Amino acid sequence: MTPTGAIRRLIPRTVAGQMFALLVVMVLVLGAGAVAALVVQAGNNSEDVARVRALAVAETFSRAPGVLAALESPDPSARLQPITEVTRRETGVDYIVVTNTKGVRYTHPNPAEIGKSITGPLYPATAGRPFTDRVPGRTLPSPSIRAVAPVFDKKGSVVALVNAGVTIAGTSRTVNRQLPVLLGGGAAALALATVGVALMSRRLRRQTRGLEPAEITRMYEHHDAVLHAVREGVLIISDDGRLLLVNDEARRLLDLPPDVPLRDVADLGPRLDQALIRLLADGRVAADEVHRAAGRFLAVNQQPTRSDGRALGSVATLRDTTELRALAGRATEARETLMLLYDATVTIGTTLDLTRTAEELAQAALPRFADLATVDVFESVLEGAEPARERDELRRAAAAGVRGQRSLYQAGQTVSFHSSSPQARSLADGRSVLEQDLAEAFVGTDQDPAHTEWLRAHGMRSLITVPLRAGGWVLGVTSFYRGDRLDTFDEDDVSTAEELVGRAAVCLDNARRYAREHAMAVSLQRSLLPGDLPQQNAVEAAYRYIPARSGVGGDWFDVIPLSGARVALVVGDVVGHGLHAVATMGLLRTAVLNFSALDLAPDELLTHLDELVSRLDQEENHRGRERGAAATGGTGIIGATCLYAIYDPVSRRCTMARAGHPAPAIVRPDGTVDFPDVPGGPPLGLGGFPFEVIDLGIEENSEIVLYTDGLIENRRQEIDGGLERLEQALAHRGRSPEQTCDAVLDALLPADVADVSDDVALLVARTRTLDTDHFVVWDVPVDPAAVATARADVTRKLSSWGLDEAAFTTELIVSELVTNAIRHAIAPIHLRLVRDRGLICEVSDGSSTAPHLRRSTAGDEGGRGLFLVAQLTESWGTRYTSRGKTIWAEQVLPPAGDTEPDGPSQPHMTAGPDQAASR
């Protein structure tokens, strides 16, 4: 075997083995050098330590107490020699020698040397400065490290010198003692380094899988081939912004030249956009950032590379996402379309107002789908009817533009389209029409020049028209226009438009049906509410009725003339809205009219009304069970309320009772407002609870204000706040009832009465009185002869009123009523004659037995009196009081206005419901 072959056999073949051998040699060399350096350093350190120790001992001994006294004694050596020997042994120095300034020894380890001169230099210690030096060992076994320190007297003069030293042999012994430690530490360090190198070599062997250098080279070539073959670009960039590696895919994606590696990233400016250059140069972290480069959209990922906290550069990968971006764009469009339709579902049909729904449809298309949208609906649809296209006109229900563009026809105007226009074709065929180029479709034609000019002026480029189809009917047509802001419409947009309009058409049809039912309910309600208030002189009345936004309800009011020139004021409320509430209101109002004809007191009338409501509610529940609504028990009408008041202009008294209704307000002539504490009974229909009456004195020209809860309570205010605002609105004097109604509604309702959430009924009655010139009362004794006296008194009074023509008839009525009272009733008996719009004759007595009208036979001698009274008067009747009863009869006065004496004028009648509801 040749020497060269033997050497090659000693060299390991693997990369790990070669690295191990190299590192072991390096560790051995470094370990030997380190041990040698430590030995030299230890020797130097021992001499330095000896100098420091000798100087410290010399200076300390020179300043020790008693040294100066010993020097000044007759025999300094005798006193200093024991001290120096003790100090030398304790401090570890080899000698302490005290001399005079000329170098003569006072002390020495060898007493034989005392009194002799030392051989070394003494300056600069003789000048007062300590020093150290190295002196030969003439009196000692080896050279030594000496330190000399001066001893000063009290005047500061140097009187002696202290020499302290350590021999070189002593320092060598110290180094020899440290040498085993140094060698052992070096050996341990070498062993640890060898173990560490072995572990590193083992790990390297495991990572390289024991491959030889040639095999690793081959593997690197394979990795390089893979790096350049992958379909993802890879860039390795240094920390100073230079390209270190660019694979083939990155070169293709970025359109880079072959010499691009080792070039600065900033030099690629013409090929890359600035945002991408800044990203690569900064080396910041990036995750799927999309940048445009060489006509492509690239997803860039970048991570910085570091070693021991130091930035080395960054690695960036590039992925072509051009096709993926196109797919994502289509997905984004689909998502935006779904969001458009979802938002439209939420925003369209929030109310049952047809015009508002059309406006919501037009607004829902802006700005994401169209630049301008119009909604045209047949006129009959706006009225709630089904469309009749043959003779029906289109009306613009809504129009909206992104930039505030005004359509050719404004909302509310009648719309006319040419027969060949897209809108007309949509209405005729019931299908959508797409016009991608309006200029090509309209220019050069004679159809609707005004429309063509409008399209050109507003820059509209494309159009989609979609018919409003619902329930087999075409309700109208919707038009979507696009200008320069959006791309022209395509077939996909037609599907979106049809979906959007289809959902809106259902809401429009619901609004149409509701409008029809609402119109029917309003018509029924107006037929059930008072038209013109009846003629009477007791009060001057005005009223207002405002239906709720959600539909007509069950609020009602009434002014009912009663016997004796009195008047009944009624306000009621049926909870709920719709036809059921309206029908229930009509039943209750009719019942109140019938009960009032019986001249019942307010509490008695409410009791009868409560029984009626209970009976109606039971019937309704029974019908509900028959229809299978036993679970709900029918709709019922529990919750109706009512306030009934009777005002007498003769006595100026007002009696009232209420069933769950808000208390009235009384406005006195001076403008002060009072809410009388009318006992609050339960709502109608509960049954079994009594109603209480309150009797109030009312001044002339006072106002009695009756209202429903919708006036003072709603979602924006509590009832206490509503009553406070009502009081403020009423606290004025000198206003007519009409003015009071307007002031109250202006103060408590929103400016747009269409936004009222609950029905509002308001009745304002200004009181009048009948003075003594209009009525007279006589006491009638229980004596048949008093009948003639009563007739005479009545005749004279009628003559004073200028009513002589009515004297004969009135005498017959008085004669019959007074005679019946004397014969069949008990005292006291009173006769009252009242001149109002008619002539009223009343006879009161203390009996509660009322006469009855009956037909007499030919043989009967009596029983014809009341029959004559009924024939001679317009009306007659009986009303009961707490003290008995009153039988009254009223005649129609002749139309001789010039004979009427001074008295209350005819009342001013208020407007009807149509006028009252519009403020």
Side-chain angles (χ1 to χ4, degrees):
M1 180 181 296
T2 61
T4 304
I7 294 174
R8 288 182 177 177
R9 289 180 63 87
L10 294 176
I11 298 176
R13 300 184 60 183
T14 65
V15 175
Q18 293 175 3
M19 290 295 297
F20 176 74
L22 178 62
L23 289 176
V24 167
V25 172
M26 292 176 62
V27 168
L28 288 174
V29 173
L30 292 175
V35 170
L38 287 173
V39 171
V40 174
Q41 185 178 1
N44 294 333
N45 289 341
S46 298
E47 290 189 7
D48 292 338
V49 170
R51 290 178 186 275
V52 172
R53 183 187 298 174
L55 182 60
V57 171
E59 287 184 339
T60 302
F61 192 85
S62 67
R63 294 180 176 83
V67 173
L68 182 60
L71 291 172
E72 294 175 351
S73 66
D75 188 2
S77 296
R79 297 184 63 179
L80 292 174
Q81 179 67 17
I83 299 174
T84 58
E85 288 305 307
V86 173
T87 303
R88 179 179 65 81
R89 288 191 296 270
E90 292 180 354
T91 58
V93 297
D94 290 327
Y95 62 87
I96 297 176
V97 178
V98 181
T99 69
N100 60 13
T101 57
K102 294 181 180 181
V104 178
R105 300 183 181 97
Y106 291 132
T107 65
H108 195 276
N110 184 6
E113 297 294 331
I114 295 174
K116 297 179 180 180
S117 297
I118 64 176
T119 58
L122 299 177
Y123 184 84
T126 55
R129 297 191 299 275
F131 68 93
T132 62
D133 60 358
R134 183 169 181 165
V135 296
R138 295 177 180 177
T139 60
L140 297 172
S142 65
S144 64
I145 304 298
R146 182 186 66 158
V148 182
V151 178
F152 298 94
D153 60 6
K154 295 179 180 180
K155 296 179 180 181
S157 301
V158 178
V159 296
L161 301 174
V162 178
N163 298 265
V166 178
T167 63
I168 297 302
T171 60
S172 298
R173 287 194 300 272
T174 302
V175 173
N176 294 335
R177 288 194 302 269
Q178 295 178 353
L179 187 59
V181 177
L182 293 176
L183 293 176
L190 179 61
L192 290 175
T194 303
V195 172
V197 169
L199 293 176
M200 292 177 59
S201 299
R202 182 181 178 183
R203 182 176 182 182
L204 180 61
R205 181 181 180 86
R206 190 165 55 248
Q207 291 177 345
T208 59
R209 300 180 183 274
L211 298 176
E212 297 183 4
E215 294 174 336
I216 292 178
T217 302
R218 209 164 40 249
M219 181 178 293
Y220 171 77
E221 292 174 352
H222 292 164
H223 287 172
D224 186 66
V226 172
L227 179 66
H228 290 281
V230 295
R231 300 295 296 172
E232 188 166 306
V234 179
L235 302 175
I236 299 180
I237 307 167
S238 65
D239 59 343
D240 57 356
R242 290 182 300 109
L243 288 172
L244 300 180
L245 184 144
V246 180
N247 70 344
D248 294 341
E249 181 67 9
R251 201 184 307 275
R252 183 185 70 82
L253 293 176
L254 300 178
D255 194 17
L256 299 177
D259 60 341
V260 70
L262 301 181
R263 291 179 58 181
D264 198 311
V265 175
D267 296 338
L268 304 178
R271 295 176 175 85
L272 307 180
D273 63 0
Q274 294 301 315
L276 180 57
I277 290 176
R278 286 194 299 271
L279 172 63
L280 298 177
D282 294 343
R284 62 178 174 84
V285 177
D288 287 336
E289 288 191 13
V290 178
H291 293 270
R292 192 176 181 89
R296 300 180 178 89
F297 290 99
L298 303 180
V300 181
N301 293 273
Q302 182 168 261
Q303 286 289 337
T305 58
R306 297 181 179 276
S307 177
D308 297 331
R310 183 172 60 88
L312 300 179
S314 61
V315 177
T317 61
L318 311 174
R319 187 173 67 256
D320 190 356
T321 61
T322 305
E323 295 181 0
L324 181 62
R325 186 177 180 86
L327 293 175
R330 288 194 288 271
T332 300
E333 292 178 359
R335 184 172 62 253
E336 291 176 351
T337 300
L338 290 176
M339 287 299 299
L340 172 67
L341 296 177
Y342 172 77
D343 293 341
T345 302
V346 174
T347 58
I348 298 176
T350 58
T351 67
L352 288 174
D353 182 83
L354 198 148
T355 302
R356 178 58 184 164
T357 303
E359 293 173 352
E360 291 170 346
L361 169 58
Q363 291 292 341
L366 308 181
R368 291 176 286 180
F369 185 72
D371 290 324
L372 186 141
T374 61
V375 181
D376 304 315
V377 182
F378 286 114
E379 182 114 17
S380 57
V381 174
L382 292 173
E383 296 173 356
E386 295 175 347
R389 287 182 292 173
E390 293 77 7
R391 60 183 183 277
D392 210 350
E393 291 183 341
L394 278 174
R395 188 171 295 277
R396 176 75 30 102
V402 172
R403 302 185 182 92
Q405 302 100 319
R406 294 175 61 87
S407 59
L408 181 62
Y409 299 99
Q410 300 305 307
Q413 292 182 338
T414 301
V415 181
S416 176
F417 293 111
H418 192 273
S419 59
S420 61
S421 66
Q423 289 85 353
R425 282 182 283 155
S426 289
L427 290 172
D429 300 337
R431 295 194 298 268
S432 302
V433 175
L434 169 64
E435 292 289 352
Q436 292 183 308
D437 190 349
L438 286 175
E440 180 180 349
F442 283 89
V443 174
T445 64
D446 58 350
Q447 52 170 295
D448 201 350
H451 193 199
T452 303
E453 180 61 27
W454 177 84
L455 293 174
R456 184 183 296 110
H458 289 80
M460 297 301 167
R461 297 187 302 162
S462 60
L463 165 69
I464 293 178
T465 60
V466 183
L468 289 161
R469 298 181 60 89
W473 297 95
V474 176
L475 309 179
V477 64
T478 302
S479 304
F480 301 103
Y481 295 88
R482 280 187 181 179
D484 297 332
R485 191 180 62 88
L486 300 172
D487 296 335
T488 57
F489 287 117
D490 55 22
E491 292 295 337
D492 293 337
D493 294 324
V494 173
S495 300
T496 303
E498 290 176 345
E499 182 70 20
L500 179 64
V501 174
R503 300 184 183 191
V506 175
C507 298
L508 286 170
D509 191 52
N510 291 337
R512 177 191 67 82
R513 295 173 184 271
Y514 172 78
R516 180 182 60 188
E517 295 178 1
H518 181 71
M520 294 172 56
V522 169
S523 177
L524 175 61
Q525 183 190 42
R526 295 197 185 283
S527 66
L528 296 176
L529 285 174
D532 293 331
L533 295 180
Q535 303 255 335
Q536 43 77 38
N537 285 345
V539 295
E540 177 188 356
Y543 67 90
R544 296 289 186 273
Y545 175 76
I546 308 297
R549 179 182 64 246
S550 57
V552 293
D555 291 10
W556 92 92
F557 59 92
D558 225 332
V559 178
I560 307 172
L562 300 177
S563 63
R566 298 171 306 145
V567 66
L569 306 174
V570 190
V571 168
D573 183 7
V574 176
V575 176
H577 299 90
L579 293 176
H580 178 74
V582 174
T584 303
M585 176 270 289
L587 288 174
L588 296 183
R589 178 171 178 259
T590 302
V592 171
L593 287 172
N594 290 330
F595 289 146
S596 65
L598 300 176
D599 271 328
L600 298 177
D603 55 337
E604 296 178 3
L605 185 140
L606 291 180
T607 300
H608 287 293
L609 197 62
D610 179 62
E611 295 173 355
L612 173 64
V613 171
S614 298
R615 187 164 56 254
L616 293 174
D617 189 54
Q618 293 174 1
E619 294 176 357
E620 184 67 25
N621 289 337
H622 179 69
R623 286 193 294 268
R625 284 191 294 270
E626 290 181 349
R627 293 192 300 266
T632 60
T635 56
I637 57 174
I638 295 294
T641 64
C642 181
L643 189 150
Y644 187 82
I646 298 176
Y647 172 68
D648 188 348
V650 176
S651 63
R652 303 178 185 179
R653 307 291 297 180
C654 182
T655 58
M656 58 183 69
R658 62 189 178 113
H661 202 83
I666 306 297
V667 184
R668 305 193 182 282
D670 59 358
T672 58
V673 181
D674 183 28
F675 291 91
D677 187 14
V678 182
L684 299 174
L686 295 181
F689 297 94
F691 299 96
E692 299 182 36
V693 175
I694 186 174
D695 188 18
L696 302 174
I698 304 294
E699 301 177 59
E700 186 179 6
N701 291 323
S702 297
E703 288 183 339
I704 304 174
V705 181
L706 281 66
Y707 51 89
T708 55
D709 58 354
L711 181 68
I712 58 173
E713 184 180 13
N714 52 51
R715 289 174 295 182
R716 295 173 301 177
Q717 68 177 4
E718 298 293 335
I719 187 170
D720 293 338
L723 289 173
E724 183 178 353
R725 294 175 61 188
L726 175 61
E727 181 178 1
Q728 294 173 357
L730 293 174
H732 292 80
R733 55 184 301 178
R735 290 190 307 201
S736 67
E738 288 285 344
Q739 294 172 335
T740 301
C741 287
D742 292 336
V744 169
L745 296 186
D746 290 339
L748 277 81
L749 297 186
D752 185 4
V753 295
D755 292 335
V756 175
S757 59
D758 192 10
D759 289 21
V760 174
L762 175 65
L763 178 62
V764 178
R766 172 178 287 179
T767 61
R768 294 169 172 164
T769 60
L770 292 177
D771 54 26
T772 56
D773 290 337
H774 285 74
F775 71 93
V776 62
V777 180
W778 295 282
D779 293 331
V780 179
V782 185
D783 184 358
V787 176
T789 304
R791 288 199 301 265
D793 292 338
V794 168
T795 301
R796 285 192 299 271
K797 191 60 180 177
L798 292 177
S799 178
S800 66
W801 283 346
L803 298 176
D804 295 324
E805 295 180 0
F808 177 75
T809 303
T810 304
E811 286 183 7
L812 289 178
I813 295 171
V814 169
S815 178
E816 178 61 26
L817 296 182
V818 172
T819 300
N820 284 343
I822 293 174
R823 286 182 178 181
H824 305 293
I826 59 176
I829 301 174
H830 304 287
L831 171 63
R832 186 171 76 165
L833 199 63
V834 180
R835 183 175 184 273
D836 190 37
R837 291 182 175 273
L839 183 60
I840 304 170
C841 180
E842 298 180 346
V843 176
S844 302
D845 57 57
S847 172
S848 59
T849 302
H852 297 282
L853 182 65
R854 62 186 179 87
R855 181 178 298 275
S856 301
T857 62
D860 292 338
E861 296 183 359
R864 297 180 178 85
L866 284 181
F867 179 78
L868 291 176
V869 171
Q871 295 298 316
L872 295 175
T873 60
E874 181 182 16
S875 60
W876 73 280
T878 304
R879 67 174 180 269
Y880 296 92
T881 65
S882 59
R883 297 181 298 274
K885 67 176 182 299
T886 299
I887 301 177
W888 57 272
E890 183 174 356
Q891 305 174 64
V892 177
L893 290 177
D898 54 344
T899 64
E900 182 177 349
D902 295 336
S905 60
Q906 298 296 324
H908 172 69
M909 302 311 297
T910 61
D914 293 337
Q915 295 172 324
S918 59
R919 293 163 49 195

